[in-house]
């Protein structure tokens, strides 16, 4: 049966004039059961094609088949470049189908900088001038794919002419070609941008829809220049939403949803931060949200885009509320797709109305714990947006757990950087920060930015930034301890090891808990275990040097462990000059007296500034003496290497070039002699972790005595590079008083979050259960989830209140009862907190309770807000009305052909107009008979009956809008 | 730019149609298709139809044995892309009549033509089925 069906298909296919050979090929590819088998078939096919395609008298139709076989070869991952030229040739063909196939193949094969393109540009130019509009369309398709910056001028004038072509299909593609040019090289079409505005008012909705694509780009590049279009966009969107476009644009009963979505995207950009522009949009947005059918995917797609728009433009409380309702619907849905969209939308809205997350906390946690990775990641994205110092610990812990569990490096890097960012911004304590960073480094160390390690080292070195030495040293001890613990783990990332070495060297022996020999033993272990990582070794040896230096300075006897000794000896003979130098420095340092060592390598001085005498004035005496003894004076390097000559030469050159008209500039690459100067510096900064702020050129260091060079190098070890490193963590952004408050807050809250809160929660739970549950019929919420919810969202009540007072409280909430009481919670809690001044443990269940306690107090702010708010919206509406009349005027200016004056996207009545225009087209085409007979009948199919039959079949097969997922492809192979 | 590529892949992971709106070399395409297909085919019906992969977001939809995968930018409306896929399928269905994998295989160029009408420069430009199919039908008639 199965075979019979295939056979039937094949017979049907065969009637299209495809050869047996082609059918066999397709069939064998279709039946291939493995990639290897498929590869064998394709390789055999390549051989066949190579043999035959160059045959000069291949019939054209056969050639088209070969080209399609080439498409298969490339599609299945093999090189078909041997046949490219034939595809190019096919674009020259006169037969439309062959030409278009040729263009298709070329666009699929070639990048826009391929050498063969030059052979096609001429053909494209010719085709753009064709009388047959389908040829023009085919050429415009190719223009969009193949024309690059250099070839734009060759086709630009023609494309611009085509913007006024009588065929809408041509105008549409011309708009897109121009769009392409704008993408490729904005300057090439900068004088033509007004054309996009004109096409926005095109008679044909297809052209109008296409013009939205370039306009979207233009608006996102420079919104201010397009503010005048807001009213037009709103107007068109309104017409579209009111179903004024032809029914053929409908999709599942939705009027032109893709156009609506594009418009909403543009409006979102135009209204962002612009109160006046946003004012025009409120009504139409509200209408669309109200009208959109939330039962279909496409309806939800439009709704989602509305939310994005509402979240982007100047906030309007009514719309925010409507958006929140839609989000609630999304999140409550069983469909993962809708949940995903809901979470995303929530993330957009949360900045504007932080309270909306609360009613969805359980849904959010469900999504977070869902096994579906996509949903989980989206939820992390949301959590990232709502992180505050009160919930940062929970969120970052979750992120890290997830980070550890995945293997996708791309996302791992991403989420690691998110963790770092959050930890740096909101860390409740330095201890926590270090622990968190350790985890990030341990599991994703090679993926995070090196700057993060620098930051962490700096934090450990600088401590709290306050004069609390005890806390600082405690922090360091705990860091040292944690690192000693972690060292044992296998395969630590290089960056992390470097960090560990640095900290151990600097603070390993600081608190006296660990002996120098213990720490140095550990450092040797690291250097040995990661012996092929030079950076780690360099850090390790420098750390050893510090440990020994501190010992010497403390007048203790330094006994170097045998393994350390052998490590140093290894490095003395190392291939890396950097390691060698470090080893020699170490040796030299140990031999010095205690006082000298103390000055060279003072203890805990990594934060001290190092004065670098760039003029090397301390050498003046020495230089003077040498000069007196008859030494030659120093000649600056550029003079020595003949730069001066070069300059002379060039000026000479210049004169000569005036005479001969020859250009010598190409030869002037005099940078070469400079290279050796720059090279060592860059080398040093790559291998040396903490470069001296102003890198000294290697030549200059040669002049310094050996002691000097040691001190130089030693100090460079001690100095952290602080310039350019952003000061990020916790403190600096806030005033110190605020931060201390938050600290005390977090400490007092910790226990409540942990143990006591559960009691509180259950107590409240029983009390409020009925009132709460009646509203939210969520079944079986596990205590863990509640706890998680409380820790995630609980903290949000506090800052949220702050913002809610400044933010407009949704006023219409007061109108409907149940909702109102819920919304009233927000101001209520402010009141509660103000009076009692003891924040209740934030908890997802205390919403209801506080609502009960102080209802009356909420009346005032509402009314005030109502007063504030109402006039603004009514004036907004008034504006809008005025604007619409305005808009028609503007449109009138643009609409050229229609005499009607008012803007018209062909409404059903207007269709006659369109048709007459269509029938006019062939008249214009003077060159005899062309294929262009686009009478309305021909649109549907070969003939009316056929198309009817087909339509009936289609409907039978279930492809009608009402069913969500028609049973397509039901008769597939296998 | 919106849409970065459109792929049709059967459930064995064999590519049936591939259209990229930015140039990738053969090797890059091969690698990308392999990774994406592996990722999407491993997902079950309940999971959402969106997958993040590198800097793409992939929206996919399955019809019988054929997967339609569309790679988009991050700021694209996923649900709309999902419906765009469906529109493409409906359009092919109208043209071929009860379209199936073999239709696409035997008329690869036509499937491409339809896509060319619907998407340009990575943007959805035409969603009107008769506008999409008219040029293709006219071409059929003359050849």
């Amino acid at each position: 049966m199965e075979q019979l069906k295939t056979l039937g298909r094949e017979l049907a296919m065969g009637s299209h004039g495809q050869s047996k050979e082609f059918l066999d090929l397709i069939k064998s590819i279709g039946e291939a059961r493995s990639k290897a088998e498929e590869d064998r078939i394709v390789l055999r096919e390549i051989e066949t094609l190579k043999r035959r395609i160059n045959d000069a008298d291949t019939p054209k139709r056969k050639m088209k088949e070969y080209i399609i076989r080439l498409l298969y070869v490339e599609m299945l991952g093999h090189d078909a470049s041997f046949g490219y030229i034939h595809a190019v040739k096919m674009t020259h063909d006169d037969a439309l189908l062959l030409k278009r196939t040729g263009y298709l193949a070329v666009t699929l094969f070639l990048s826009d900088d391929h050498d063969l393109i030059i052979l096609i540009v001429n053909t494209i130019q010719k085709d753009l001038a064709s009388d047959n509009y389908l040829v023009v369309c085919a050429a415009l398709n190719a223009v969009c794919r193949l024309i690059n910056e250099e070839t734009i001028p060759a086709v630009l004038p023609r494309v611009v002419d085509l913007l006024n072509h009588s065929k809408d299909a041509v105008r549409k593609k011309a708009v897109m070609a121009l769009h392409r040019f704008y993408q490729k090289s904005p300057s090439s079409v900068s004088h033509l941008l007004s054309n996009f505005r004109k096409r926005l008012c095109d008679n044909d909705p297809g052209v109008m829809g296409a013009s939205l694509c370039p306009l979207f780009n233009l608006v996102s590049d420079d919104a201010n220049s397009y503010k005048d279009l807001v009213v037009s966009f709103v107007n068109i969107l309104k017409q579209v939403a009111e179903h004024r476009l032809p029914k053929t644009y409908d999709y599942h009963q939705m009027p032109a949803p893709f156009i609506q979505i594009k418009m909403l995207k543009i409006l979102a950009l135009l209204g962002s931060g612009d109160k006046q522009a946003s004012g025009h949009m409120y009504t139409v947005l509200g209408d669309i949200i109200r009208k959109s059918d939330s039962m279909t995917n496409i309806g939800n797609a439009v709704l989602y885009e509305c939310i994005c728009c509402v979240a982007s433009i100047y906030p309007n409380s009514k719309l925010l509320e409507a958006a929140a309702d839609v989000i609630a619907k999304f999140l409550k849905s069983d469909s993962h797709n809708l949940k995903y969209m809901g979470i995303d939308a929530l993330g957009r809205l949360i900045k504007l109305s932080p309270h909306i997350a609360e009613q969805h906390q359980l849904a959010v946690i469900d999504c977070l714990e869902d096994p579906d990775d996509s949903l989980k990641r989206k939820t992390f994205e949301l959590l990232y947006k709502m992180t505050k110092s009160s919930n940062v610990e929970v969120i970052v812990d979750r992120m890290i757990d997830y980070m550890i569990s995945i293997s996708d490096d791309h996302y791992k890097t991403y989420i690691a950087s998110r963790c770092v960012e959050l930890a740096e911004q909101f860390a409740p304590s330095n201890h926590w920060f270090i622990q968190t960073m350790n985890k990030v480094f341990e599991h994703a160390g090679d993926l995070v930015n090196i700057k993060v390690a620098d930051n962490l080292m700096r934090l450990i070195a600088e401590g709290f930034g306050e004069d609390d030495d005890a806390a600082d040293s405690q922090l360091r001890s705990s860091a040292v301890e944690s690192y000693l613990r972690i060292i044992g783990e296998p395969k630590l990332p290089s960056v992390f090891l470097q960090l560990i070495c640095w900290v151990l060297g600097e603070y390993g022996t600081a608190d006296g808990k660990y002996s120098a020999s213990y720490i140095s033993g550990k450092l040797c272990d690291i250097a040995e275990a990661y012996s092929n990582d030079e950076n780690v070794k360099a850090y390790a040896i420098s750390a050893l040097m510090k440990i020994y230096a501190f010992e010497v300075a403390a007048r203790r006897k330094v006994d170097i462990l045998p393994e350390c000794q052998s490590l140093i000896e290894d490095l003395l003979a190392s291939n890396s000059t950097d390691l060698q130098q470090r080893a020699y420095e170490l040796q030299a340092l140990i031999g010095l007296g205690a006082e000298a060592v103390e000055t060279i390598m003072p203890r805990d001085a990594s934060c001290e500034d190092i004065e670098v005498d760039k003029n090397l004035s301390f050498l003046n005496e020495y230089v003077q003496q040498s000069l007196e003894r008859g030494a030659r004076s120093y000649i600056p390097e550029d003079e020595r290497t003949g730069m001066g000559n070069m300059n002379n030469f060039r000026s000479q050159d210049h004169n000569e070039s005036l005479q001969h008209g020859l250009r010598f500039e190409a030869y002037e690459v005099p940078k070469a002699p400079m290279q050796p100067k720059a090279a060592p510096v860059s080398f040093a900064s790559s291998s040396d972790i903490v470069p001296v702020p102003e890198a000294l050129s290697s030549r200059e260091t040669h002049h310094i005595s050996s002691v000097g060079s040691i001190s130089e190098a030693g100090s460079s070890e001690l100095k952290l590079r602080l310039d350019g490193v952003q000061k990020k963590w916790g403190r600096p952004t806030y005033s110190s008083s605020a931060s201390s408050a938050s600290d005390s807050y977090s400490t007092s809250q910790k226990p409540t979050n942990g143990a006591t809160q559960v009691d509180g929660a259950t107590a409240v739970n029983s009390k409020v259960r009925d009132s709460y549950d009646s509203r939210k019929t969520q079944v079986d919420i596990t205590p863990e989830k509640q706890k998680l919810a409380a820790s995630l969202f609980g903290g949000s009540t506090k800052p949220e209140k702050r913002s809610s007072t400044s933010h407009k409280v949704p006023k219409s909430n007061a109108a409907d009862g149940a909702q109102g009481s819920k919304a009233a919670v927000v101001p209520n809690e402010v009141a509660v907190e103000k009076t009692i001044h003891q924040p209740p443990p934030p908890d997802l269940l205390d919403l209801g309770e506080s609502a009960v306690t102080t209802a009356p107090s909420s009346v005032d702010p509402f009314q005030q807000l109502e007063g504030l708010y109402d006039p603004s919206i009514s004036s907004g509406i008034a504006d809008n009305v005025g604007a619409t009349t305005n808009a028609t005027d503007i449109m009138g200016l643009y609409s050229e052909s229609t005499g009607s004056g008012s803007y018209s996207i062909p409404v059903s009545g207007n269709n006659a107009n369109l048709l007459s225009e269509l029938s006019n087209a062939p008249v214009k085409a003077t060159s005899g008979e062309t294929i262009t007979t686009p009478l309305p009948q021909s649109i549907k199919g070969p003939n009316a009956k056929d198309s009817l039959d087909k339509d009936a079949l289609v409907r039978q097969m279930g492809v009608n809008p009402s069913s969500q997922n028609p049973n397509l492809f039901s008769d597939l192979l296998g | 730019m919106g849409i970065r590529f459109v792929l049709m892949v059967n459930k064995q992971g064999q590519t049936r149609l591939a259209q990229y709106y930015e140039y990738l070399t053969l090797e890059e395409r091969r690698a990308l298709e392999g990774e994406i297909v592996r990722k999407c085919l491993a997902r079950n019906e309940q999971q959402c139809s969106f997958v993040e992969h590198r800097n793409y977001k992939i929206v996919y939809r399955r019809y019988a044995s054929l997967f339609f995968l569309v790679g988009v930018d991050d700021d694209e409306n996923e649900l709309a892309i999902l419906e765009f896929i469906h529109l493409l399928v409906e359009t092919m269905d109208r043209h071929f009549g009860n379209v199936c994998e073999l239709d696409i295989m035997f008329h690869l160029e036509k499937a491409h033509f339809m896509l060319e009408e619907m998407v340009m420069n990575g943007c959805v430009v035409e969603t009107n089925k008769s506008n999409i199919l008219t040029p293709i039908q006219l071409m059929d008639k003359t050849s």
Side-chain angles (χ1 to χ4, degrees):
Chain A
M1 184 61 202
E2 192 80 335
Q3 271 183 334
L4 216 76
K5 234 195 238 167
T6 320
L7 207 72
R9 277 271 170 197
E10 269 168 38
L11 283 175
M13 307 291 168
S15 67
H16 284 265
Q18 287 155 330
S19 72
K20 175 85 172 52
E21 206 182 26
F22 180 73
L23 298 179
D24 284 346
L25 171 72
I26 302 302
K27 212 173 124 208
S28 63
I29 290 175
E31 284 166 358
R33 282 286 155 261
S34 69
K35 185 73 195 154
E37 193 184 338
E38 186 188 279
D39 283 344
R40 267 200 305 280
I41 296 166
V42 175
L43 289 174
R44 207 182 322 126
E45 178 65 16
I46 290 175
E47 287 314 307
T48 322
L49 286 174
K50 270 186 182 161
R51 250 185 294 118
R52 294 222 224 129
I53 204 164
N54 290 320
D55 198 351
D57 41 70
T58 313
K60 281 176 178 175
R61 194 158 273 288
K62 189 82 189 161
M63 190 48 106
K64 179 197 162 220
E65 203 180 283
Y66 286 154
I67 298 290
I68 292 171
R69 283 155 75 170
L70 284 175
L71 287 186
Y72 263 99
V73 169
E74 284 247 320
M75 184 173 80
L76 297 174
H78 298 265
D79 180 41
S81 54
F82 63 89
Y84 288 176
I85 188 68
H86 297 282
V88 173
K89 273 190 208 155
M90 185 154 274
T91 61
H92 304 330
D93 203 288
D94 289 330
L96 178 61
L97 185 61
L98 299 190
K99 184 183 275 297
R100 189 152 181 200
T101 308
Y103 274 132
L104 171 71
V106 171
T107 57
L108 289 170
F109 289 149
L110 307 181
S111 68
D112 66 5
D113 52 0
H114 197 281
D115 294 339
L116 288 175
I117 297 289
I118 208 71
L119 298 176
I120 305 167
V121 173
N122 200 18
T123 320
I124 290 179
Q125 277 178 322
K126 223 167 53 210
D127 287 345
L128 287 177
S130 167
D131 293 330
N132 184 340
Y133 89 98
L134 291 173
V135 171
V136 179
C137 285
L140 283 171
N141 275 337
V143 165
C144 286
R145 302 295 300 266
L146 300 175
I147 295 298
N148 60 21
E149 222 179 317
E150 285 98 69
T151 40
I152 287 175
V155 294
L156 186 59
R158 284 240 170 271
V159 170
V160 173
D161 286 347
L162 292 174
L163 285 171
N164 294 310
H165 197 273
S166 58
K167 275 288 182 191
D168 49 79
V170 174
R171 291 201 301 277
K172 179 175 70 190
K173 285 181 193 284
V175 165
M176 293 315 283
L178 214 54
H179 175 220
R180 179 64 175 173
F181 300 158
Y182 179 74
Q183 286 177 331
K184 280 269 154 197
S185 146
S187 59
S188 68
V189 291
S190 53
H191 57 295
L192 297 165
L193 298 181
S194 64
N195 281 299
F196 294 134
R197 289 162 173 265
K198 254 184 241 167
R199 287 303 131 212
L200 178 65
C201 305
D202 197 282
N203 274 334
D204 181 77
V207 182
M208 181 274 289
S211 75
L212 296 176
C213 304
L215 283 169
F216 175 74
N217 282 46
L218 289 168
V219 170
S220 41
D221 291 347
D222 172 23
N224 283 329
S225 313
Y226 293 88
K227 295 281 187 192
D228 57 313
L229 284 180
V230 169
V231 179
S232 313
F233 281 126
V234 167
N235 227 333
I236 299 172
L237 181 58
K238 196 159 156 271
Q239 295 187 46
V240 173
E242 282 170 358
H243 234 131
R244 309 257 307 267
L245 292 192
K247 283 263 182 259
T248 40
Y249 285 89
D250 282 10
Y251 176 80
H252 294 191
Q253 268 113 40
M254 218 26 202
F258 294 95
I259 289 177
Q260 288 194 41
I261 287 169
K262 201 93 209 178
M263 289 241 170
L264 287 167
K265 275 189 196 294
I266 295 175
L267 287 181
L269 292 171
L270 285 172
S272 170
D274 184 338
K275 193 173 180 182
Q276 205 201 343
S278 304
H280 295 307
M281 305 169 191
Y282 293 153
T283 330
V284 71
L285 281 172
D287 284 351
I288 294 176
I289 293 179
R290 207 156 6 87
K291 266 192 234 160
S292 291
D293 174 12
S294 62
M295 296 309 285
T296 59
N297 260 341
I298 194 66
N300 286 324
V302 173
L303 282 172
Y304 166 79
E305 206 57 58
C306 285
I307 300 173
C308 295
C309 187
V310 167
S312 162
I313 63 176
Y314 190 84
N316 169 299
S317 57
K318 242 188 196 149
L319 286 176
L320 286 175
E321 207 182 296
D325 287 347
V326 175
I327 290 175
K329 246 183 256 167
F330 282 3
L331 288 173
K332 278 182 198 140
S333 154
D334 286 332
S335 150
H336 272 54
N337 286 346
L338 284 186
K339 279 190 188 164
Y340 182 94
M341 301 310 272
I343 294 280
D344 183 275
L346 195 57
R348 288 168 191 269
L349 221 55
I350 206 159
K351 290 266 182 282
L352 293 171
S353 39
H355 62 275
I356 66 162
E358 256 153 59
Q359 38 180 318
H360 302 304
Q361 38 190 298
L362 290 170
V364 170
I365 286 161
D366 276 340
C367 292
L368 186 63
E369 293 183 340
D370 200 278
D372 184 348
D373 256 7
S374 301
L375 203 51
K376 202 173 248 182
R377 289 180 188 186
K378 201 76 202 173
T379 314
F380 276 125
E381 198 64 17
L382 169 68
L383 292 183
Y384 166 78
K385 284 180 189 152
M386 44 183 267
T387 307
K388 309 176 182 61
S389 47
S390 57
N391 58 14
V392 65
E393 290 168 78
V394 191
I395 289 177
V396 172
D397 278 355
R398 286 252 156 187
M399 284 186 173
I400 289 176
D401 285 346
Y402 182 64
M403 184 188 81
I404 294 169
S405 74
I406 57 172
S407 55
D408 167 6
D409 269 1
H410 187 264
Y411 193 70
K412 212 171 192 166
T413 313
Y414 177 75
I415 200 163
S417 69
R418 282 270 147 112
C419 286
V420 171
E421 194 184 321
L422 289 178
E424 287 183 350
Q425 246 171 37
F426 298 108
S429 70
N430 282 357
H431 178 76
W432 178 85
F433 180 76
I434 288 174
Q435 295 301 325
T436 306
M437 286 297 119
N438 286 352
K439 273 189 235 163
V440 173
F441 276 116
E442 198 176 333
H443 299 285
D446 289 330
L447 303 172
V448 293
N449 194 331
I450 186 90
K451 222 166 145 186
V452 177
D454 293 344
N455 274 347
L456 183 54
M457 284 191 248
R458 200 178 69 141
L459 175 81
I460 294 172
E462 285 184 344
F464 283 86
E466 288 152 22
D467 294 323
D468 188 356
D469 286 339
D472 287 355
S473 56
Q474 199 189 351
L475 173 78
R476 288 165 193 157
S477 310
S478 78
V480 167
E481 215 155 306
S482 67
Y483 291 146
L484 285 173
R485 220 176 18 249
I486 290 169
I487 295 176
E489 306 276 336
K491 285 206 184 125
L492 292 172
S494 174
V495 179
F496 192 34
L497 286 164
Q498 293 165 27
L499 171 71
I500 289 175
C501 288
W502 187 84
V503 173
L504 288 184
E506 201 71 33
Y507 303 111
T509 55
D511 61 354
K513 200 166 159 193
Y514 300 102
S515 70
S517 67
Y518 179 76
I519 298 286
S520 58
K522 287 283 181 195
L523 286 168
C524 283
D525 289 347
I526 295 177
E528 223 165 276
Y530 300 88
S531 58
N532 44 12
D533 188 333
E534 283 192 3
N535 284 339
V536 171
K537 279 203 281 193
Y539 267 93
I541 189 88
S542 294
L544 275 180
M545 174 156 69
K546 281 180 225 166
I547 297 282
Y548 292 139
F550 298 155
E551 286 300 292
V552 174
R555 273 90 178 160
R556 278 195 289 266
K557 189 182 172 303
V558 180
D559 45 2
I560 299 175
L561 294 176
E563 65 248 46
C564 295
Q565 193 61 54
S566 68
L567 173 71
I568 293 166
E569 271 156 25
D570 272 0
L571 295 187
L572 284 174
S574 168
N575 282 334
S576 154
T577 46
D578 176 55
L579 290 179
Q580 225 177 35
Q581 179 168 355
R582 285 168 198 261
Y584 274 111
E585 282 169 10
L586 168 61
Q587 257 193 342
L589 188 74
I590 294 170
L592 293 173
E595 286 86 19
V597 171
E598 215 163 5
T599 34
I600 294 167
M601 194 71 90
R603 184 176 268 277
D604 191 17
S606 59
C607 301
E608 307 292 320
D609 284 332
I610 293 166
E611 304 267 328
V612 178
D613 185 356
K614 271 197 282 184
N615 296 325
L616 309 179
S617 56
F618 57 90
L619 288 175
N620 283 349
E621 202 179 326
Y622 175 78
V623 171
Q624 198 58 42
Q625 278 172 12
S626 303
L627 282 177
E628 275 163 19
R629 264 187 265 122
R632 287 171 62 194
S633 69
Y634 176 72
I635 306 164
E637 186 165 7
D638 41 349
E639 281 175 38
R640 235 182 310 153
T641 50
M643 275 296 285
N645 290 344
M646 211 52 140
N647 286 337
N648 292 340
F649 185 57
R650 202 190 301 159
S651 62
Q652 221 178 338
D653 245 27
H654 189 63
N655 292 337
E656 264 169 44
S657 70
L658 282 178
Q659 290 169 1
H660 299 290
L662 272 176
R663 289 186 54 217
F664 286 87
E665 276 93 312
Y667 294 98
E668 86 183 53
V669 207
K671 297 277 145 46
M674 298 292 282
Q675 222 77 68
K677 190 180 173 188
V681 175
S682 69
F683 168 73
S685 61
S686 67
S687 61
D688 198 326
I689 340 78
V690 263
V692 203
E694 230 85 9
L696 296 162
S697 89
S698 58
R699 293 212 184 181
E700 279 164 319
T701 30
H702 281 311
H703 292 275
I704 309 168
S705 64
S706 69
V707 177
S709 96
I710 285 181
S711 81
E712 213 50 73
S715 59
S716 80
E717 290 307 311
L718 286 171
K719 176 90 163 83
L720 256 178
R721 190 185 169 135
L722 298 182
D723 50 310
V725 179
Q726 233 181 329
K727 199 154 184 146
K728 251 187 168 175
W729 19 69
R731 200 57 31 76
T733 45
Y734 297 102
S735 66
S736 60
S737 66
S739 61
S740 68
S742 83
D743 270 349
S744 68
Y745 177 71
S746 73
T747 46
S748 70
Q749 205 197 341
K750 268 265 187 58
T752 21
N753 253 348
T756 25
Q757 204 203 316
V758 184
D759 297 356
T762 44
V764 178
N765 207 340
S766 54
K767 238 198 290 174
V768 196
R769 170 134 281 172
D770 31 13
S771 73
Y772 182 74
D773 270 4
S774 64
R775 233 184 295 132
K776 199 165 188 173
T777 47
Q778 196 86 23
V779 273
D780 281 352
I781 304 150
T782 61
E784 293 90 61
K785 256 186 204 171
Q786 288 179 11
K787 232 164 84 183
L788 179 60
S791 47
L792 283 179
F793 297 87
S796 73
T797 48
K798 205 186 164 215
E800 169 233 309
K801 270 169 236 143
R802 237 185 286 129
S803 61
S804 73
T805 43
S806 67
H807 197 80
K808 282 179 200 159
V809 174
K811 66 127 208 184
S812 68
N813 256 354
D816 50 45
Q819 286 266 330
S821 73
K822 208 169 170 189
V825 172
V826 181
N828 279 350
E829 279 197 334
V830 184
V832 170
E833 200 182 288
K834 266 179 195 157
T835 48
I836 310 174
H837 206 76
Q838 188 212 43
D843 167 30
L844 72 160
L845 292 174
D846 70 353
L847 291 171
E849 195 187 34
S850 55
V852 176
T853 47
T854 45
S857 71
S858 69
V859 176
D860 268 337
F862 273 128
Q863 270 173 352
Q864 279 176 339
L865 283 170
E866 218 167 318
L868 276 175
Y869 169 72
D870 246 350
S872 77
I873 194 153
S874 57
S875 74
I877 292 166
D879 260 1
N880 220 2
V881 173
T884 32
T885 53
N886 226 349
T888 49
D889 283 357
I890 293 172
M891 309 281 227
L893 288 177
Y894 281 124
S895 64
E896 306 158 319
S897 50
T898 51
S900 57
S902 72
Y903 171 67
S904 54
I905 289 167
V907 190
S908 45
N910 253 349
N911 265 344
N913 206 336
L914 231 189
L915 289 179
S916 69
E917 206 181 299
L918 288 176
S919 49
N920 275 343
V923 179
K924 203 176 156 200
T926 45
S927 69
E929 43 132 11
T930 45
I931 324 148
T932 35
T933 45
L935 296 172
Q937 292 97 311
S938 70
I939 286 169
K940 263 243 154 153
N943 63 47
K945 192 176 166 291
D946 249 13
S947 65
L948 275 178
D949 285 351
K950 227 170 202 179
D951 271 3
L953 189 67
V954 166
R955 221 159 286 133
Q956 217 175 26
M957 296 325 293
V959 192
N960 48 21
S962 56
S963 68
Q964 280 259 8
N965 201 345
N967 188 18
L968 297 171
F969 300 106
S970 50
D971 62 343
L972 280 166
L973 260 185
Chain B
M1 167 146 137
I3 298 176
R4 313 271 287 272
F5 58 78
V6 176
L7 285 177
M8 297 182 199
V9 177
N10 72 2
K11 64 170 184 259
Q12 281 90 37
Q14 295 158 313
T15 312
R16 289 294 169 249
L17 182 144
Q19 176 65 276
Y20 291 83
Y21 295 97
E22 61 196 339
Y23 185 77
L24 296 181
T25 65
L26 202 59
E27 286 70 37
E28 287 167 332
R29 273 182 274 162
R30 221 178 152 148
L32 184 72
E33 283 170 29
E35 289 165 26
I36 291 173
V37 167
R38 225 172 300 127
K39 224 174 194 170
C40 291
L41 264 55
R43 294 170 66 81
N44 65 34
E45 294 276 319
Q46 283 79 48
Q47 292 180 319
C48 59
S49 320
F50 322 126
V51 181
E52 280 163 36
H53 181 76
R54 296 169 185 245
N55 37 357
Y56 298 109
K57 189 140 42 181
I58 292 136
V59 179
Y60 70 94
R61 197 157 178 166
R62 182 180 173 170
Y63 294 90
S65 67
L66 209 55
F67 284 84
F68 286 68
L69 309 150
V70 179
V72 294
D73 283 336
D74 206 39
D75 51 358
E76 201 58 41
N77 182 333
E78 293 92 341
L79 275 181
I81 296 295
L82 203 61
E83 291 311 289
F84 161 75
I85 294 176
H86 192 67
L87 177 66
L88 173 62
V89 173
E90 281 184 5
T91 310
M92 291 200 293
D93 207 64
R94 180 182 284 190
H95 183 77
F96 293 115
N98 201 12
V99 66
C100 71
E101 189 179 335
L102 269 182
D103 283 317
I104 295 167
M105 291 185 75
F106 280 115
H107 302 285
L108 184 63
E109 78 279 15
K110 279 207 189 118
H112 268 296
F113 292 156
M114 284 178 217
L115 206 52
E116 274 185 343
E117 297 297 324
M118 293 175 76
V119 183
M120 294 178 85
N121 308 341
C123 306
V124 178
V125 286
E126 188 57 81
T127 54
N128 181 334
K129 289 190 196 98
S130 40
N131 281 1
I132 299 167
L133 291 177
T134 307
I136 294 158
Q137 285 158 349
L138 284 175
M139 227 166 8
D140 270 358
K141 256 171 57 179
T142 54
S143 64

